[in-house]
Every structure is written in structure tokens, then in C-alpha cells.
Amino acid sequence: MAGGNRFERKLESLVSGAFARAFKGAVEPVELAAALKREVDNTARILSRDRRLIPNSFTIELSTEDFRRLSEYGLTLQHELANELREHADIQRYTFSGPIEIRLVERSELPIGKAEVRSATVGTPAQPYPTPAEPQRPPLQPVPPAPAPRQSGPVQVAVEIHGRARPVNPPGVVIGRGTDADIQVTDPGVSRRHAEIRLMPEEPAGVRVVVVDLGSTNGTLVNGRRTSEAELTDGATIKIGTTELTLRITAAPAPAEPPQPPAQRRQPASPFNPQPGYGQPGQPQPGYGQPHPGGGNPYRHGPAPDGGGDAPQSWR
């Protein structure tokens, strides 16, 4: 498979080069979009049964004339190419390895009308490539760390959106307009997969909450500042499009203790509820059948037949 892909790319390079030398036509943006799609199709790697991982950084090499002409569009062209690439990835069920980055560079040895695309996987956003045109958007700036300390011990994480709390369970959730997003937001200014909130365990039993922009068109704002990745604390605000979310981090409730059996009450002694040792064989009842203080038995009168004690009197 890899050999076939290399052969197809080599054949495509020869054919496109021949046409470029023959017709001397300038490169159009639609041709750049098609070249980017072919690049991700050729470099996709299997991630799971129905998902594939693709690079997120792309460098488009152009001739001197094409580079000078296309650079006039500034960052607008790069954003539009990123949108086309993102739509293609949604259809093909691709997953980018990070925020999308597209650069236009000049390569003097290329003929007019020919463009070459090189891709790579980067974990952190690189500095934007300088262009002659004035950038239309301010550069991404990292959000300074919040002074609030992280909570220790088990916690519960949730985001409030339109007055409703949505739980955030490990390893995290994806927020976007698409149907495959974990938290779906109906907002035309939100990309299909706009941002991701990630939960990173920390010792002892703590958690670190981070928001990552997934190469969205309109960007992600944390506490009013544009960012590509930032750590969040309780009460932090996240704005995507025109929708604002609030992060809530609360201590998890302690596990409930098992119920204790009710204490047994001691019942008073009675003939129907004798105390231990009461009325048992060999155990005399208190005060019953005991020797009379004056000798003999108070219920007997007269000598007993055997000469001991008193004999009972007969009733007349």
C-alpha cells in the first residue's frame, strides 16, 4: 500500500509538472484545496475501526510568481483552505493530530502553476509564518496562568451553557456544531469540532483541566483572551462563536456510610419476658420458696411427717 501511494504521488508530480510547463497557468486556490485533500488521503493512518489520524501542519510550496500573487490574500486564504480541509476530514472521518496550520512558502525552482504540499504532525502550534500582507487577526497569545489554586482530592467537572450544567467526564469532551461532538452547540460561528476540554489526572487524586482549540475558524477565547490551549480553573469562561460557557469544579461528595442496625432496647422483666436466669431450671425465683426468717416454711404448720419442719394443716 505504501509503495502504491508513493508511485501515485510520483506519477501525479510528473503529470502536474508537465502540464505546468506546457500551459504556464497560475495556481488557483481551488487547486491548493484539492492538493491538501490528496495529501491527507495519502498520509492517513488507522486510529480505530472507523477513525484515521492525519497530520495537522501543511506547507504549500509555490513558485515566486504564484507566491507573490497568493500572498496578497493574507490569512484569509489560509483560513478558507483550513475550512475546506476540515469539511473533507469530517466526511472521511479523519482526526487531526492538533490545530490545523497552513503556510505558503516560496520555492524559486518551481515553475509557474505548480504547487507541492508537505505535511507534518506537530503537538504544539508553531509561530505563524510571516507574510507580506498585514494579518487580519491578532496572533494567538497564551493565557497567563490563573492565580487560583487547583482543588485537591476527588472533584466533579462541568460546564454551564445556556443555564444548563453539562458534566465533563474523563478523558474529556469535544464541543462543536457537528453531530459527532460530545456537547453540541447550535451556533453558526462554531466549527463542527471547535474545542476540546481535557481532564488530566494529577497526584494526589487531583485533576488538571485544559481547553484546546481544534483548529476552529473563529478561534477560542478564555477569560476574554484568544488562545489555542490554556489551563482552566473554577469559574473560567470559554467563548466559542457567540456562545459562552462557564467551567465549574466542585469537590466530589463523600461516599455514604452503610446504615447501622438500630440499638436494641432492654425490656423490663415480667413473667412474659423473663430476664436471663429467671425461671430457669435450678435457678430459684427471687423471694419465692426462700426460708422464712423465723425458721420453717410460712405456708406450712405443724410437724412434718419426717420430723422436720411443720406439717401442712388440712382445711375444714
Side-chain angles (χ1 to χ4, degrees):
M1 180 63 71
N5 289 338
R6 287 194 297 268
F7 174 76
E8 292 177 0
R9 296 178 68 178
K10 183 65 174 178
L11 180 61
E12 178 184 350
S13 176
L14 293 175
V15 173
S16 61
F19 275 96
R21 289 189 296 270
F23 297 100
K24 302 294 183 181
V27 174
E28 298 297 334
V30 65
E31 298 174 321
L32 299 183
L36 289 171
K37 295 176 183 179
R38 288 194 300 269
E39 178 67 17
V40 297
D41 290 338
N42 293 332
T43 56
R45 297 294 180 265
I46 296 177
L47 181 62
S48 63
R49 185 179 63 178
D50 57 349
R51 303 294 294 182
R52 293 191 175 187
L53 187 66
I54 57 176
N56 64 309
S57 178
F58 304 90
T59 302
I60 303 177
E61 298 178 346
L62 301 168
S63 65
T64 302
E65 182 64 27
D66 288 330
F67 175 77
R68 184 181 301 108
R69 180 175 53 85
L70 294 177
S71 296
E72 297 177 356
Y73 296 100
L75 294 178
T76 302
L77 175 61
Q78 300 179 25
H79 290 315
E80 292 300 325
L81 291 175
N83 289 338
E84 288 289 331
L85 198 58
R86 195 176 294 109
E87 293 288 341
H88 180 69
D90 289 340
I91 296 174
Q92 300 296 332
R93 302 189 66 82
Y94 292 155
T95 299
F96 289 100
S97 55
I100 300 177
E101 302 173 5
I102 298 178
R103 302 183 185 86
L104 303 181
V105 299
E106 179 182 357
R107 185 175 165 189
S108 57
E109 59 267 23
L110 287 178
I112 299 177
K114 181 175 175 58
E116 293 186 0
V117 178
R118 302 185 186 278
S119 60
T121 299
V122 295
T124 56
Q127 295 295 327
Y129 188 84
T131 57
E134 188 72 15
Q136 298 181 0
R137 294 185 180 181
L140 300 179
Q141 296 181 356
V143 175
R150 303 175 195 159
Q151 295 192 18
S152 59
V155 297
Q156 291 179 339
V157 182
V159 290
E160 291 183 359
I161 175 172
H162 302 312
R164 180 185 176 188
R166 302 291 299 272
V168 179
N169 299 320
V173 295
V174 173
I175 307 172
R177 183 169 47 87
T179 56
D180 59 339
D182 300 311
I183 299 180
Q184 190 173 2
V185 179
T186 306
D187 186 338
V190 175
S191 301
R192 293 179 178 271
R193 293 171 61 87
H194 196 107
E196 181 179 6
I197 297 178
R198 300 174 182 174
L199 303 184
M200 303 178 181
E202 285 191 344
E203 295 295 338
V207 65
R208 179 169 174 255
V209 186
V210 177
V211 62
V212 179
D213 186 90
L214 300 180
S216 63
T217 303
N218 297 321
T220 301
L221 277 71
V222 176
N223 296 331
R225 302 188 63 177
R226 185 180 178 91
T227 182
S228 59
E229 180 175 342
E231 183 175 353
L232 304 177
T233 56
D234 182 40
T237 59
I238 307 170
K239 188 173 183 180
I240 54 176
T242 60
T243 303
E244 187 171 286
L245 303 88
T246 304
L247 185 75
R248 298 300 182 192
I249 304 177
T250 57
E257 297 181 357
Q260 299 294 332
Q264 297 182 357
R265 298 178 57 186
R266 184 179 182 89
Q267 300 293 333
S270 69
F272 304 100
N273 185 28
Q275 297 297 321
Y278 181 85
Q280 300 298 327
Q283 299 291 336
Q285 300 180 6
Y288 182 81
Q290 300 297 326
H292 192 270
N297 193 324
Y299 300 99
R300 294 184 178 180
H301 305 278
D306 57 357
D310 299 327
Q313 300 289 333
S314 59
W315 292 92
R316 300 189 180 186

